[in-house]
């Protein structure tokens, strides 16, 4: 499909059309890729009784303007929590307006997608808020079980060995802490802090690294943990 630009020349973008069958329902699907250097995927799902037609989709695409990527300062204002990045930890990565990753270098080109082969590189801290209220009306007596399940549902941590668990003050209220170690000889140490907010959302802080290094960094880790607050 051809789209106008700010210059005198139009550009051609990939535009795919297909049909998804859901039982007896057939949904028309349109996909388009926009952007230079930053790719944006637009998807349209059109039900059989919809008045929208292909020309309407094309006109919608021609109206799209891609804004610049948000700066780290912009991301900081959209997070549902505040925190302090205490040295030597530095802010390295933000995701979905709900998650921040801290490490020692302050650099991370892409989000981590695979389990590391070792923890010799550097420890990380991940602070995140749930995207939906997944723990509505959770009784305080169930927080320990919820915290353990949350940890073991996390990629790479299904088979961790839990070393200790205890109530803790976190994110401005009553939370829960779990300390664990990884299997498979990776020598990971993992600490997770969780607090479930009154609206059912939770805030979680994960600390992952080599046991010896995390011990040395404990004052900074505790300072960061103490600084986390919901907005």
């Amino acid at each position: 499909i051809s789209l106008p630009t700010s210059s005198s020349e139009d550009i051609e973008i990939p535009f795919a059309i297909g049909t998804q069958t859901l039982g007896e329902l057939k949904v028309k699907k349109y996909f388009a890729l926009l952007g230079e250097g930053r790719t944006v995927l637009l998807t349209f799902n059109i039900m059989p009784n919809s008045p929208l037609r292909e020309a309407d989709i094309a006109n919608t695409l021609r109206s799209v303007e891609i804004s610049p990527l948000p700066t780290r300062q912009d991301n900081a204002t959209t997070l549902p929590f505040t925190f302090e990045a205490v040295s030597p930890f530095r802010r390295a990565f933000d995701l979905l307006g709900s998650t921040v990753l801290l490490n020692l270098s302050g650099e991370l080109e892409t989000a981590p997608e695979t389990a590391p082969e070792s923890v010799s590189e550097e420890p990380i801290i991940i602070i995140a808020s749930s995207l939906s209220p997944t723990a509505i009306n959770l009784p305080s007596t169930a927080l320990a079980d919820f915290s353990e399940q949350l940890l073991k549902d996390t990629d790479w941590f299904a088979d961790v060995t839990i070393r200790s668990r205890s109530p803790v003050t976190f994110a401005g209220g009553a939370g829960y802490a779990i300390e664990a170690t990884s299997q498979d000889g990776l020598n990971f140490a993992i600490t997770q802090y969780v607090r479930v907010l009154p609206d059912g959302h939770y805030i979680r802080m994960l600390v992952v690294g080599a046991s010896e290094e995390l011990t040395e960094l404990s004052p900074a880790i505790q300072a960061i943990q103490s600084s986390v607050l919901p907005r």
Side-chain angles (χ1 to χ4, degrees):
I1 186 174
S2 179
L3 298 184
T5 66
S6 56
S7 64
S8 58
E9 296 183 358
D10 291 353
I11 59 170
E12 300 292 326
I13 67 164
F15 188 46
I17 304 171
T19 302
Q20 181 180 16
T21 301
L22 302 172
E24 297 181 355
L25 182 66
K26 293 186 180 298
V27 180
K28 197 79 169 182
K29 301 180 78 75
Y30 297 86
F31 303 90
L33 287 175
L34 300 175
E36 295 182 6
R38 175 190 177 195
T39 303
V40 177
L41 171 66
L42 288 91
T43 305
F44 300 83
N45 300 303
I46 310 301
M47 297 301 177
N49 59 351
S50 172
L52 291 176
R53 295 294 179 263
E54 185 174 327
D56 301 315
I57 303 300
N59 287 333
T60 300
L61 291 173
R62 293 187 178 99
S63 71
V64 173
E65 294 184 6
I66 300 176
S67 61
L69 284 169
T71 65
R72 187 163 292 179
Q73 290 73 23
D74 294 333
N75 288 329
T77 63
T78 62
L79 289 170
F81 53 82
T82 59
F83 71 98
E84 181 180 354
V86 178
S87 179
F89 285 96
R90 300 167 62 190
R91 189 176 187 148
F93 185 81
D94 295 73
L95 180 65
L96 298 176
S98 65
T99 302
V100 63
L101 184 148
L102 309 175
N103 59 20
L104 303 185
S105 66
E107 298 179 358
L108 189 66
E109 292 184 0
T110 59
E113 296 177 352
T114 58
E117 296 180 357
S118 71
V119 290
S120 59
E121 295 179 2
E122 58 181 340
I124 62 170
I125 294 176
I126 299 173
I127 309 171
S129 173
S130 60
L131 296 176
S132 59
T134 57
I136 297 175
N137 298 324
L138 182 76
S140 58
T141 53
L143 183 56
D145 291 338
F146 175 79
S147 298
E148 180 175 342
Q149 191 62 49
L150 192 63
L151 178 63
K152 292 192 172 184
D153 283 345
T154 303
D155 288 347
W156 323 323
F157 298 153
D159 299 321
V160 297
T161 298
I162 294 178
R163 301 299 186 186
S164 68
R165 54 188 103 204
S166 61
V168 67
T169 298
F170 174 61
Y176 203 80
I178 291 178
E179 294 184 353
T181 53
S182 70
Q183 300 299 308
D184 303 324
L186 293 181
N187 192 31
F188 273 106
I190 305 120
T191 303
Q192 174 185 265
Y193 303 93
V194 174
R195 183 194 170 196
V196 176
L197 302 178
D199 63 1
H201 288 77
Y202 64 81
I203 297 177
R204 173 167 70 152
M205 175 171 153
L206 270 175
V207 185
V208 184
S211 300
E212 299 80 2
E213 193 166 11
L214 293 186
T215 298
E216 295 176 2
L217 294 168
S218 180
I221 293 169
Q222 291 303 312
I224 294 171
Q225 186 264 12
S226 299
S227 73
V228 178
L229 291 171
R231 287 193 184 276

